[in-house]
Amino acid sequence: MLFILAWRNLWRNRSRTLITMASVWCAVVLAAFSMSLQQGAFNNLIANVVSFYSGYLQVQHVAYWEEQTLENSFEGEGSLQDSLQRLPGISAVAPRIQAFALASAGEKTKGCLVAGIDPQAEDSVTQLRRKLSAGQYLRDGDEAVLVAEGLARRLKIGLHDTLVLLGQGYYGSMAAGKFPVSGIVGFGSPELNDRAVFMPVAAARRWLDADGMATALVLLPELPEQTDQLAAELRLSLPPELRAITWKEMMPDIIEHIETDTASSRIMLGVLYLLITFGIFSTLLMMMAERRREFGMLIALGMKKWQLGAVVLCESVLITVTGCLVGILAGIPVIWWFSIHPIRLKGESAAAFSRFGFEPVIPASTDFWILAEQAVIVLLIGLLLSLYPLYKVIRMDPVAAMRS
């Protein structure tokens, strides 16, 4: 009976009820939208960073990350690569053999990182083809190389010039070779842009006398958010001399940046919640001021204060819950729109993003749990504030209320 009375009371003054509901659902949409943009920016940052070179997940020799030499390579062809490719949740596997060498062209020399790659698999994992700024992409049977822009400028070489590479082979012998430059690639990472050289994995193995060997197998998860879970499963199934290492372990500075940014954003979110609290509270104050005489008359006519308090509490709960549900429904198309049409930065901000190889956009994350979490937080704020009308009704003097 009290619930039915509360529901009817809501629609006796539709304007007041709709204003209160609007304050709740606008709060849900605003909080969810801001969090979706932040999470979308983080996801975009991670996708850009791991696409530079590392990938989301790698299989390496247990000692390789601490000492990156060919002595810590492993058999990278055959059953291991095939078994990883068949694992559920793995979209692509890209073998690599990596070595440090001295790059020379004419009288110019510079140390470089040489990566032997499977051209098609590497493009699936790190989208290397998109980074091509001039020339042609590698093919499996090529004896050519791709050179990073910074290294090409340092050595003053261009397309079809010859690059001489001197390094140490797998058995400790001298690895020397001449390779034509088939393309120039540009990276947002200055470190990688100044020293990277790519060649087909077969040519790299011949150059290093390391037939069938690999220093890493780079794995592309079907769902990037399952990277940690896949790594945990691989650690249980890989041979003891191999290990699975995630991008978080390879680039802890990115995690630190995200944690720092998250901490600062929590302060801003706290200010936003404070504004939401005052917005909802002001509508409740308006409701109490408009209905003070009504409440005093009901108590004077014999209605118990606890009954009136229960009705008012039901009204506040109904408004808050309905506002949160409407906020979820209204937030879905807003977030979806900004995920497809992200906010595009302009001016100096866009130039700064572009210099580091990032697309100057801030997309919204479509993770539904962000929207649900913000709706629950606003719901809790609304429910807590609904105790104020209950308190005012319990403490109300009906005579003074009727005179107001």
Side-chain angles (χ1 to χ4, degrees), residues 10-249:
L10 290 180
W11 304 110
R12 286 194 300 111
N13 190 327
R14 294 178 183 272
S15 299
R16 181 180 61 221
T17 300
L18 292 176
I19 289 173
T20 311
M21 286 183 179
S23 68
V24 175
W25 73 257
C26 284
V28 172
V29 173
L30 183 60
F33 179 64
S34 60
M35 288 301 296
S36 295
L37 284 181
Q38 183 193 53
Q39 190 61 49
F42 288 160
N43 293 340
N44 194 47
L45 169 66
I46 293 170
N48 279 282
V49 168
V50 300
S51 70
F52 283 158
Y53 187 69
S54 70
Y56 285 96
L57 180 63
Q58 291 189 17
V59 173
Q60 301 176 352
H61 190 277
V62 291
Y64 180 75
W65 188 248
E66 288 73 26
E67 187 179 358
Q68 298 184 21
T69 63
L70 287 176
E71 285 78 6
N72 293 324
S73 58
F74 59 94
E75 187 67 38
E77 286 187 337
S79 59
L80 176 61
Q81 185 174 344
D82 293 340
S83 61
L84 291 174
Q85 187 70 67
R86 290 194 298 268
L87 283 177
I90 299 296
S91 176
V93 178
R96 284 186 193 155
I97 184 165
Q98 177 178 295
F100 294 95
L102 186 67
S104 175
E107 297 181 354
K108 302 289 185 178
T109 60
K110 192 177 188 304
C112 68
L113 172 70
V114 181
I117 60 170
D118 181 320
Q120 301 307 317
E122 187 71 27
D123 185 48
S124 299
V125 173
T126 62
Q127 299 178 340
L128 182 60
R129 190 190 299 268
R130 290 189 181 182
K131 300 175 178 65
L132 192 69
S133 58
Q136 295 182 343
Y137 189 63
L138 297 174
R139 293 172 294 185
D140 288 335
D142 285 351
E143 291 286 337
V145 295
L146 299 177
V147 181
E149 289 177 346
L151 181 61
R153 284 195 300 268
R154 174 66 180 270
L155 299 177
K156 296 184 178 179
I157 58 174
L159 296 178
H160 312 302
D161 288 340
T162 299
L163 181 69
V164 178
L165 294 175
L166 299 174
Q168 185 176 14
Y170 181 65
Y171 295 103
S173 59
M174 176 66 72
K178 292 182 178 181
F179 303 94
V181 177
S182 69
I184 306 294
V185 289
F187 292 93
S189 168
E191 182 180 1
L192 198 59
N193 204 45
D194 288 341
R195 63 172 186 164
V197 175
F198 296 89
M199 66 173 68
V201 65
R205 285 168 174 164
R206 285 192 295 271
W207 172 59
L208 296 169
D209 196 18
D211 187 37
M213 305 301 290
T215 55
L217 294 175
V218 187
L219 312 181
L220 176 64
E222 292 178 356
L223 299 174
E225 56 269 22
Q226 294 182 347
T227 299
D228 292 335
Q229 178 184 345
L230 287 171
E233 294 173 358
L234 285 172
R235 287 172 186 136
L236 298 176
S237 59
L238 287 172
E241 68 274 11
L242 300 179
R243 71 166 178 172
I245 180 171
T246 66
W247 68 270
K248 297 178 182 178
E249 298 170 274

Side-chain angles (χ1 to χ4, degrees), residues 334-354:
V334 172
I335 293 173
W336 176 81
W337 172 265
F338 281 96
S339 69
I340 297 177
H341 305 281
I343 298 173
R344 294 197 170 271
L345 303 177
K346 298 182 182 296
E348 293 183 2
S349 298
F353 271 63
S354 299

